[in-house]
Amino acid sequence: MTDTTGTFTQSNICAATTDLITLHHQLLDLFCQLAYQEGDFILSSGQSSSYYINGKQVTLHPQGALAIGRILLSVLPTDTQAVAGLTLGADPIVSAVSVVSAYENRPIPALIIRKEAKGHGTMAYIEGPNLPPGAKVVVLEDVVTTGKSAMKAVERLRDAGYIVDTVISLVDRLQGGAEFYQSLGLNFQAVFTITDLQERYQALAN
């Protein structure tokens, strides 16, 4: 395994122009090297797990954020008018996508959804630029387990008058999240599944 100055960073000085297939493989390695851990853990859903994915180790990593921004921007529906996510996990993800979108001449604003309404001023749940009613917003998430976390963002955005029909996650733990979204008529896709991470993690360990 490498630290934040290891192989990924040193071999990707031109990560801004690396082709997306290569970038996808490199992002998977970064997740395995920095975010994936095995042991006994309790998840935010209350479930116990033999592994944990600390997504912020990658989403707040400079090369990780750049890779995430480019990869997610490439899979957004063409009519996307904004990306959004529930604080705190999605904050660096939506920011990365928005910054990269500006460089790609496809500017897409980012929205951050609070878990509780702002305690002063506008008392708002949603932080970020004001969009026209009916704007198409895609919800982004770092890791999906049951799907309930990102659904809070979907509901807040819809309450604000926006159209949300797509959720994209960096990692799907394959524990019911995809089926949950499908049952609600939401499109869902993930950059990686937990199987991808675990197979690559074992390969790197050998």
Side-chain angles (χ1 to χ4, degrees):
M1 301 304 171
T2 67
D3 62 18
T4 56
T5 61
T7 303
F8 185 92
T9 301
Q10 294 301 322
S11 64
N12 290 282
I13 297 173
C14 296
T17 55
T18 301
D19 69 272
L20 289 172
I21 294 175
T22 301
L23 202 61
H24 188 277
H25 292 312
Q26 292 167 344
L27 182 61
L28 177 60
D29 282 356
L30 199 62
F31 263 99
C32 293
Q33 292 164 355
L34 301 181
Y36 181 82
Q37 306 171 56
E38 294 186 343
D40 295 317
F41 303 96
I42 300 297
L43 307 178
S44 60
S45 63
Q47 299 180 16
S48 59
S49 176
S50 60
Y51 66 88
Y52 181 66
I53 304 166
N54 185 356
K56 297 178 194 64
Q57 293 293 324
V58 176
T59 61
L60 292 170
H61 184 286
Q63 296 291 341
L66 177 56
I68 287 165
R70 289 191 59 210
I71 289 169
L72 291 183
L73 181 66
S74 74
V75 299
L76 289 179
T78 56
D79 59 353
T80 301
Q81 292 173 265
V83 289
L86 189 69
T87 196
L88 177 70
D91 294 1
I93 302 173
V94 299
S95 297
V97 172
S98 185
V99 169
V100 170
S101 75
Y103 279 97
E104 296 288 339
N105 278 331
R106 185 190 171 188
I108 297 175
L111 304 176
I112 292 173
I113 315 303
R114 291 175 174 269
K115 294 180 181 178
E116 303 293 338
K118 191 174 183 177
H120 59 281
T122 61
M123 310 295 285
Y125 274 101
I126 301 174
E127 298 290 354
N130 293 320
L131 305 176
K136 295 287 291 291
V137 182
V138 172
V139 168
L140 306 180
E141 180 70 289
D142 57 352
V143 180
V144 162
T145 303
T146 64
K148 301 293 177 63
S149 179
M151 196 62 205
K152 295 177 184 176
V154 172
E155 292 168 350
R156 294 297 180 197
L157 290 161
R158 287 176 170 175
D159 288 346
Y162 302 138
I163 296 173
V164 185
D165 58 20
T166 300
V167 176
I168 303 175
S169 177
L170 294 176
V171 181
D172 180 6
R173 290 175 58 101
L174 301 177
Q175 290 183 263
E179 292 77 9
F180 172 69
Y181 294 132
Q182 183 178 24
S183 72
L184 296 173
L186 285 164
N187 300 311
F188 173 71
Q189 64 184 107
V191 177
F192 307 114
T193 67
I194 185 57
T195 304
D196 297 327
L197 263 68
Q198 290 176 331
E199 289 180 351
R200 184 57 178 160
Y201 181 83
Q202 291 301 321
L204 290 171
N206 293 331

